[in-house]
Amino acid sequence: MQLRTATLDDADAISALLRALAPRLLDDPDSEAARPFLQSLAAEAVRERLACPRHATWVAVDASVLCGVLVLRDGRHLYHLFVRADRQRRGIAHALWAAMLAHLPCPSAESDAPEGITVNAAPAALRFYQGLGFLATDALQYRQGTRFVPMRWRRPR
């Protein structure tokens, strides 16, 4: 498996991966409430994020197939962390997380490096994020047809 920074050429494959997993995250994928979320998964929206300096994106590629993606927004918010359904439970998400952490600057008294990372975790992913050291910061939320628990990870000192 290869872990690398995503390029604009990955936009269609990233979008396909995200859209394939979206029904698992939505109460009703056909609802009006879900429309903004689904639009954010379209290839054009992915291309915009890939071109935006606020978003850092890593992908996992196995046998020439894009099988995982991690997007970090503003160095502080885990915007996406998804692995293809047929490649889950193989350590790909952990590998993407480790690759992203390796690129984060270490916080110091003089730096503005992030002290923590937030995520809006789908209920089915809570145990995974807890295993990484994330803690819930609020109760279950509902937005754009999705349910999630806001969580925060703090870098060990």
Side-chain angles (χ1 to χ4, degrees):
M1 178 178 60
Q2 177 191 17
L3 299 174
R4 61 173 172 77
T5 302
T7 68
L8 287 172
D9 292 336
D10 295 315
D12 290 334
I14 292 170
S15 175
L17 183 151
L18 297 173
R19 292 177 73 76
L21 295 170
R24 295 179 176 192
L25 304 173
L26 296 164
D27 289 338
D28 179 4
D30 297 321
S31 72
E32 187 64 33
R35 188 171 306 214
F37 176 75
L38 291 171
Q39 288 172 340
S40 77
L41 307 180
E44 187 55 39
V46 171
R47 266 189 280 288
E48 288 175 15
R49 282 191 296 277
L50 287 169
C52 177
R54 292 182 58 204
H55 295 88
T57 304
W58 290 266
V59 292
V61 180
D62 188 19
S64 300
V65 174
L66 192 138
C67 55
V69 62
L70 182 149
V71 181
L72 186 68
R73 184 180 65 214
D74 296 327
R76 291 176 166 83
H77 181 73
L78 191 55
Y79 187 77
H80 286 316
L81 177 52
F82 290 103
V83 174
R84 280 174 49 133
D86 63 343
R87 304 288 173 92
Q88 291 179 358
R89 299 197 180 280
R90 297 183 187 186
I92 295 170
H94 283 93
L96 285 164
W97 172 254
M100 181 271 304
L101 284 180
H103 286 85
L104 283 184
C106 290
S108 69
E110 300 84 33
S111 80
D112 63 349
E115 290 184 24
I117 295 173
T118 59
V119 68
N120 293 331
L126 287 174
R127 289 184 64 198
F128 169 78
Y129 286 114
Q130 289 167 339
L132 293 178
F134 280 82
L135 298 174
T137 58
D138 206 343
L140 183 69
Q141 309 284 311
Y142 183 79
R143 183 174 39 201
Q144 294 182 343
T146 65
R147 294 182 192 283
F148 62 89
V149 174
M151 302 182 85
R152 175 178 296 279
W153 173 88
R154 295 210 183 268
R155 183 186 298 271
R157 299 227 176 226

